[in-house]
Amino acid sequence: MNLLKKIQIWGDQHHPKWLDYFRILLGLILVWKGISFYTDMDAFSHLMRGAVLGTAVSISILAHLIIVIHILGGIAIALGTHTRLFCLLNLPILIGAVLFVNIPGGIFKPYSEFWFSSIVLIGLVCFIIEGNGILSVEREKAIG
């Protein structure tokens, strides 16, 4: 726990302002991807075909959990509240997307989302370390 507290203190002290704009953009991207995942039910129904009932229920719960975590987490990250928590919650989703969805789909194909997902993954790791920053709801709450 001591190491985590040191990382948090270091991240709070060494936070450039341009990183806040990147955090806001990262949050908006997560909201967009959550909505996009919700509206693209063809990919979801493709996963459900031929699945046994227990697997279908698990896939359905997982899909809805991904949508909720992306949308709520993206809003919280963009606003700068509980940034580290929501970055941690989105981290396994993005690792799964990069390793199990994007790499088998081909990373050098045109319109491959591998690089986009990798940048979002790097951003999540960055904000687990860096935290909220100056332009955040929690910063205003701490000052006031």
Side-chain angles (χ1 to χ4, degrees), residues 44-100:
F44 177 69
S45 53
H46 177 69
L47 286 173
M48 298 289 281
R49 280 190 205 120
V52 203
L53 180 63
T55 307
V57 170
S58 300
I59 292 172
S60 177
I61 290 172
L62 185 64
H64 287 84
L65 190 64
I66 289 171
I67 292 167
V68 168
I69 289 175
H70 268 358
I71 293 175
L72 292 180
I75 291 170
I77 291 169
L79 291 175
T81 179
H82 304 291
T83 301
R84 288 186 174 108
L85 171 68
F86 284 108
C87 285
L88 276 172
L89 290 175
N90 276 292
L91 195 64
I93 298 170
L94 262 294
I95 290 172
V98 169
L99 295 179
F100 301 117

Side-chain angles (χ1 to χ4, degrees), residues 21-144:
Y21 297 116
F22 181 61
R23 187 200 75 236
I24 293 167
L25 181 64
L26 180 69
L28 294 175
I29 288 170
L30 287 172
V31 169
W32 168 61
K33 291 305 284 184
I35 293 170
S36 170
F37 190 71
Y38 175 73
T39 59
D40 186 20
M41 284 302 179
D42 292 333
F44 177 69
S45 53
H46 177 69
L47 286 173
M48 298 289 281
R49 280 190 205 120
V52 203
L53 180 63
T55 307
V57 170
S58 300
I59 292 172
S60 177
I61 290 172
L62 185 64
H64 287 84
L65 190 64
I66 289 171
I67 292 167
V68 168
I69 289 175
H70 268 358
I71 293 175
L72 292 180
I75 291 170
I77 291 169
L79 291 175
T81 179
H82 304 291
T83 301
R84 288 186 174 108
L85 171 68
F86 284 108
C87 285
L88 276 172
L89 290 175
N90 276 292
L91 195 64
I93 298 170
L94 262 294
I95 290 172
V98 169
L99 295 179
F100 301 117
V101 176
N102 295 329
I103 288 179
I107 61 174
F108 295 113
K109 286 185 177 179
Y111 308 110
S112 171
E113 288 197 19
F114 171 77
W115 302 109
F116 184 70
S117 297
S118 298
I119 291 170
V120 173
L121 179 62
I122 291 168
L124 289 175
V125 171
C126 171
F127 289 110
I128 287 172
I129 296 169
E130 287 291 325
N132 292 330
I134 299 168
L135 300 174
S136 69
V137 173
E138 286 187 352
R139 178 71 170 201
E140 296 299 322
K141 186 171 58 175
I143 293 173

